[in-house]
């Protein structure tokens, strides 16, 4: 009974609610939102490129402002605008926002933890939730990752709670690169290993202070070689791996080492 009485005190009587005003406010807000969504993209197409991005970025901001203003105008048409009622409405709205933004709060806490524990830093090459690239910047809520295809990925810090973070260089300038080679078993493994080692030593991208290794593993279909070395700079990892692969293939071709044949192809 008390809850019903309190609700009745907060809400205006049915005959006091301005339904016409509410309808006009809703229609006016809808028209303004549609105008913002139409006019600003058109305006953005008429201004220079850099200004265009700024104009387009205003669309969601203005849309949010219109919606908040519309809600602020509708609320007094429905409730009795007293201090107690406003406190009750704001308290309920705060509780609702707390549930709605719990993930945001979780990301903020995870951001503080990330700054302290340093699972990634700007300049690190990391893989998180399927995205791989260089950490460009860290915010309190999220990190910005630039992929090898020059795509920016924004990842909330809360991913560290339930996702493995793979950090390739962990604050170092260089990182380990691996070039794979698959050869038919009929070859001189010692010669192949030595030549692949020389390929890495003569690469212009090599960090000479870091070790070079050639790992061989025998498979049912052939021999798998992994040429492992470090470039001078982690940003050269793809150029370095390409250089090792291209020159390694040329060396193996001169040796007459045949590539491995997959079982399915060999059977056919």
């Amino acid at each position: 009974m008390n809850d019903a009485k309190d609700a009745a005190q907060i809400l205006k009587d049915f005959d006091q609610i301005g339904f016409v005003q509410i309808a006009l406010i809703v229609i006016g807000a809808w028209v303004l939102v549609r105008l913002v969504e139409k006019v600003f993209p058109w305006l953005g197409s008429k201004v220079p490129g850099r200004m265009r991005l700024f104009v387009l970025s205003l669309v969601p901001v203005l849309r949010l402002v219109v919606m908040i203003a519309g809600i602020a105008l509708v609320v007094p048409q429905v409730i009795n605008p007293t201090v107690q009622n406003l406190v009750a409405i704001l308290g309920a709205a705060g509780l609702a926002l707390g549930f709605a933004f719990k993930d945001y709060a979780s990301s903020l806490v995870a951001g503080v933890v990330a700054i302290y524990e340093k699972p990634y830093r700007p300049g690190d090459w990391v893989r998180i939730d399927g995205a791989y690239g260089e950490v460009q910047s860290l915010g309190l809520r999220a990190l910005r990752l630039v992929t090898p295809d020059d795509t920016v990925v924004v990842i909330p810090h809360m991913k560290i709670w339930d996702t493995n973070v793979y950090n390739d260089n962990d604050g170092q300038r260089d990182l380990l690169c691996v070039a794979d080679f698959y050869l038919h078993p009929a070859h001189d493994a010692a010669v192949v290993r030595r030549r692949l080692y020389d390929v890495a030593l003569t690469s212009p991208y090599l960090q000479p202070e870091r070790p070079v290794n050639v790992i061989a593993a025998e498979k049912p279909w052939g021999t798998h070689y992994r040429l492992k070395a470090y470039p001078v700079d982690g940003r050269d990892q793809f150029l370095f791996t390409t250089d090792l692969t291209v020159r390694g293939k040329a060396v193996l071709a001169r040796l007459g080492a045949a590539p491995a044949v997959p079982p399915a192809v060999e059977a056919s």
Side-chain angles (χ1 to χ4, degrees):
M1 290 295 293
N2 290 335
D3 293 341
K5 185 178 179 179
D6 293 340
Q9 291 177 348
I10 293 175
L11 298 176
K12 287 183 176 181
D13 294 334
F14 187 79
D15 57 351
Q16 294 179 331
I17 297 177
F19 290 106
V20 175
Q21 292 88 336
I22 292 174
L24 290 176
I25 292 170
V26 171
I27 293 172
W30 180 81
V31 171
L32 285 175
V33 168
R34 296 297 295 172
L35 283 174
V36 168
E37 293 177 342
K38 294 291 185 180
V39 172
F40 277 79
W42 173 82
L43 184 62
S45 65
K46 303 298 182 181
V47 297
R50 185 171 299 179
M51 183 63 68
R52 173 179 175 272
L53 296 177
F54 173 74
V55 171
L56 292 178
S57 68
L58 292 176
V59 173
V61 176
L62 293 177
R63 186 168 52 204
L64 180 61
V65 170
V66 171
M67 293 175 64
I68 292 175
I71 293 172
L73 292 174
V74 167
V75 169
Q77 303 295 328
V78 179
I79 70 169
N80 293 308
T82 65
V83 175
Q84 293 83 355
N85 290 346
L86 291 176
V87 170
I89 293 295
L90 290 175
L95 184 62
L97 289 174
F99 282 108
F101 287 96
K102 65 181 186 300
D103 288 342
Y104 187 89
S106 178
S107 289
L108 291 179
V109 174
V112 175
V113 173
I115 293 173
Y116 174 72
E117 294 189 350
K118 296 182 176 59
Y120 37 68
R121 311 166 184 79
D124 282 357
W125 285 84
V126 300
R127 186 184 306 278
I128 305 174
D129 201 27
Y132 178 73
E134 184 180 13
V135 178
Q136 186 181 55
S137 62
L138 298 178
L140 277 180
R141 187 195 69 86
L143 63 97
R144 291 169 62 88
L145 198 72
V146 181
T147 70
D149 296 326
D150 204 24
T151 300
V152 176
V153 182
V154 179
I155 303 175
H157 292 299
M158 64 180 294
K159 288 293 183 181
I160 66 176
W161 301 138
D162 54 13
T163 303
N164 292 330
V165 177
Y166 300 90
N167 194 324
D168 280 0
N169 56 326
D170 195 25
Q172 302 297 318
R173 186 181 177 186
D174 54 20
L175 53 83
L176 180 65
C177 292
V178 181
D180 294 289
F181 302 91
Y182 305 91
L183 300 181
H184 190 278
H187 64 270
D188 190 330
V191 173
V192 167
R193 186 185 182 196
R194 187 167 58 251
R195 293 297 178 86
L196 290 178
Y197 188 88
D198 293 339
V199 166
L201 289 181
T202 54
S203 174
Y205 302 100
L206 178 71
Q207 169 56 270
E209 297 178 358
R210 302 282 269 168
V212 175
N213 290 297
V214 180
I215 308 299
E218 196 68 14
K219 306 291 184 179
W221 39 262
T223 307
H224 178 198
Y225 289 91
R226 305 186 74 205
L227 177 54
K228 306 169 71 174
Y230 293 80
V232 174
D233 194 302
R235 288 173 291 185
D236 294 331
Q237 59 180 293
F238 303 103
L239 293 174
F240 184 44
T241 304
T242 300
D243 178 63
L244 295 180
T245 302
V246 171
R247 294 193 302 111
K249 285 173 64 71
V251 166
L252 295 175
R254 287 196 294 270
L255 289 177
V261 180
V265 176
E266 195 173 37
S268 63

